[in-house]
Amino acid sequence: MPTDTPKPFPTDFVWGAATASYQVEGAAREDGRGESVWDRFAATPGKVRNGESGEIACDFYHRYRDDVALMRELGIDAFRFSIAWPRVLPEGRGTVNPAGLDFYDRLVDELLAHGIEPFATLFHWDTPQALEDAGGWPARATAEAFAEYAEAVVGRLGDRVRYWMTHNEPWVHAWIGHAWGEHAPGRTSEADAVAAAHHLLLAHGWAAAAIRRAAPDAEVGIALNLAHAYPSSASPEDEAAAWQVDGEGNRWFLDPLFRGSYPADLRERNELVAPFVRDGDLDAISAPLDFLGVNNYFRFIVSADGGRPSVVRDSEAQHTDMGWEVYPDGLYRLLMRVTADYAPPAIYVTENGAAFGDVRVHDGRVHDPERTAYLETYIDAVSRAVAEGAPVKGYFVWSMLDNFEWAHGYSKRFGIVYVDFPTLDRVPKDSFYWYRDHIAGLRRVSPRAPVTSG
Ligand code: FCB
């Protein structure tokens, strides 16, 4: 008999790994792919560390077969990837580029041939540049274009891909890309960010309907970046400050999706969004979802600083190479809270992981005990939430591969597989083997049927 301690993960729990198109694919000019806002932003001096870009990235576009073989070795049930809109519609709207869709067709077939369920995200921030030039996400027309794009993709892949996410982290794209200027498209206007966020949500609602029309058996969700906000003390001021941070980051997306309204306590934000909200928008946004994707990396500790919320750092705590606090209990609390307040029918942890300064040493291996400890403790936090009733159905490590970490270029390594960027060699890190053994150990305790849906 196996000696492993059974963890309260259901036998059909999905273990996976995640990537995103611009971060791994490369092949930026091949097979008719159009320009994306990230190509333009990365080519703008001073925007990305060392002037790096996703032009080659991990060359996943050409090496996906080898990478799927690694996934097979890892033993994952599912792979989360995103589709590059400018491969499918180089100008954002209009004529579909079949060669762009062919790539995802091949990838999906390769995954299925290896018993790995595809989890596809339609938008992970690589808007076609032509749409940005026409007004971008602050313009409502971009949401219309997104619904057309969703229809084209699902029309082609929906017979084999069952799990769809419309967007990845709309907060990040709206605020970091449109208010803070640190991500593409590099805008610096709070009003643009609020409009972009509304149109991203609207695009989600319209695309969800388009997915269901094209593939009635689809499981439809969205991946949000969520982080539990802890007050730095029990004072009413700090509690109120934490609630405000929660509102701006979490509830601004969760409330419209699950309750059909923006949170009323964020008065200034509501005034900014009001001109963009039309009758019916919130009904479209709040159409029932099959699952919520939760991306989580850290928590917030918030104190009231002269009336404004200020995020503070626990200097005693461990922090990753991103400066993000390692705090697994934050994921447990987040999952319990989302379950209690919004009752999603299912939750997938669609991203969780850590960057550390990994090096390949003289034995040719990459020893990353901090990442293994991170994954172990965060997965344990997920298991506690599952045991207490959170409907978590799966967990995806960010990331399968070291990749282009946006404005940080290649300097932040999140992979469980090391990528030697000059040669593009892949080296599974120690955490890869830990994750492989973790999954295999659970399977020994409770074998599962193949995930692949009919
Ligand atoms: C998330 C993104 C993902 C990656 C990780 C580290 O915000 O969705 O692309 O950059 O952070």
Side-chain angles (χ1 to χ4, degrees):
M1 283 296 284
T3 53
D4 314 48
T5 317
K7 289 263 172 34
F9 284 111
T11 53
D12 58 354
F13 196 86
V14 171
W15 295 100
T19 61
S21 48
Y22 191 74
Q23 295 181 277
V24 300
E25 286 178 0
R29 293 163 213 259
E30 273 179 62
D31 296 333
R33 176 183 177 281
E35 189 187 13
S36 78
V37 293
W38 267 96
D39 298 290
R40 180 71 63 90
F41 187 75
T44 308
K47 298 299 186 193
V48 175
R49 187 181 177 276
N50 286 338
E52 289 163 351
S53 78
E55 184 149 357
I56 300 173
C58 305
D59 196 31
F60 180 75
Y61 192 80
H62 297 114
R63 294 166 195 250
Y64 69 94
R65 283 200 180 81
D66 292 344
D67 291 332
V68 172
L70 275 176
M71 294 173 205
R72 173 77 179 182
E73 183 184 339
L74 181 58
I76 49 178
D77 306 304
F79 175 54
R80 174 172 179 247
F81 60 95
S82 77
I83 291 164
W85 186 350
R87 285 197 195 283
V88 178
L89 287 149
E91 297 296 318
R93 295 186 102 148
T95 313
V96 170
N97 169 37
L101 278 172
D102 288 348
F103 168 65
Y104 300 104
D105 206 270
R106 293 193 295 274
L107 172 62
V108 163
D109 285 347
E110 188 73 10
L111 290 166
L112 293 174
H114 288 79
I116 299 169
E117 182 85 18
F119 274 60
T121 307
L122 287 168
F123 181 67
H124 201 126
W125 311 344
D126 41 3
T127 316
Q129 182 65 40
L131 291 182
E132 173 63 18
D133 295 342
W137 284 106
R140 194 173 172 96
T142 301
E144 292 164 13
F146 186 73
E148 295 162 13
Y149 157 64
E151 193 178 332
V153 174
V154 182
R156 178 76 181 271
L157 302 176
D159 57 335
R160 284 153 294 151
V161 177
R162 180 157 175 227
Y163 293 88
W164 293 94
M165 279 146 283
T166 53
H167 292 309
N168 180 72
E169 303 191 351
W171 180 88
V172 172
H173 190 59
W175 266 273
I176 304 188
H178 294 76
W180 304 359
E182 293 169 15
H183 278 186
R187 299 188 188 214
T188 52
S189 146
E190 180 79 14
D192 279 353
V194 171
H198 181 67
H199 295 140
L200 283 159
L201 282 168
L202 185 60
H204 155 81
W206 287 344
I211 295 168
R212 293 193 195 287
R213 278 196 301 274
D217 293 335
E219 298 280 318
V220 184
I222 183 171
L224 301 180
N225 55 296
L226 301 175
H228 203 72
Y230 292 72
S232 64
S233 80
S235 77
E237 293 78 18
D238 289 342
E239 301 246 2
W243 184 242
Q244 185 173 338
V245 165
D246 179 68
E248 290 171 356
N250 301 326
R251 289 183 287 120
W252 192 256
F253 293 88
L254 289 165
D255 278 21
L257 286 165
F258 289 97
R259 297 179 176 168
S261 58
Y262 283 110
D265 57 299
L266 300 176
R267 277 195 288 279
E268 284 172 31
R269 186 72 79 78
N270 274 287
E271 278 168 27
L272 277 177
V273 81
F276 301 101
V277 182
R278 296 196 191 160
D279 282 353
D281 284 7
L282 284 151
D283 292 337
I285 292 168
S286 60
L289 288 177
D290 299 304
F291 68 92
L292 173 68
V294 171
N295 293 1
N296 175 256
Y297 292 90
F298 50 79
R299 65 157 171 173
F300 289 119
I301 310 171
V302 189
S303 71
D305 186 3
R308 287 284 316 151
S310 137
V311 171
V312 296
R313 183 180 160 100
D314 176 358
S315 54
E316 309 280 289
Q318 186 196 3
H319 292 80
T320 70
D321 214 21
M322 297 291 282
W324 295 345
E325 184 187 350
V326 179
Y327 196 78
D329 204 54
L331 176 55
Y332 161 78
R333 288 279 299 271
L334 174 68
L335 294 169
M336 296 311 294
R337 180 274 172 111
V338 165
T339 301
D341 288 359
Y342 298 98
I347 298 175
Y348 289 88
V349 175
T350 35
E351 287 183 26
N352 174 245
F356 291 107
D358 305 312
V359 286
R360 193 178 181 183
V361 292
H362 62 277
D363 62 1
R365 310 253 318 231
V366 180
H367 304 296
D368 60 339
E370 301 95 338
R371 180 172 297 97
T372 298
Y374 182 101
L375 296 178
E376 196 166 8
T377 53
Y378 272 78
I379 287 172
D380 183 64
V382 175
S383 83
R384 282 187 283 132
V386 170
E388 291 174 32
V392 188
K393 308 290 182 204
Y395 172 92
F396 293 75
V397 174
W398 183 273
S399 176
M400 181 67 197
L401 300 167
D402 288 342
N403 60 48
F404 176 78
E405 180 48 35
W406 310 113
H408 299 283
Y410 295 95
S411 66
K412 305 294 180 198
R413 294 183 175 275
F414 274 93
I416 55 173
V417 175
Y418 181 89
V419 177
D420 180 47
F421 290 103
T423 61
L424 295 169
D425 284 350
R426 272 71 164 148
V427 182
K429 302 179 191 178
D430 288 357
S431 57
F432 173 101
Y433 297 109
W434 176 83
Y435 194 45
R436 179 194 66 181
D437 293 347
H438 163 80
I439 298 169
L442 292 174
R443 293 280 173 274
R444 275 200 301 280
V445 176
S446 43
R448 67 172 297 156
V451 211
T452 304
S453 39

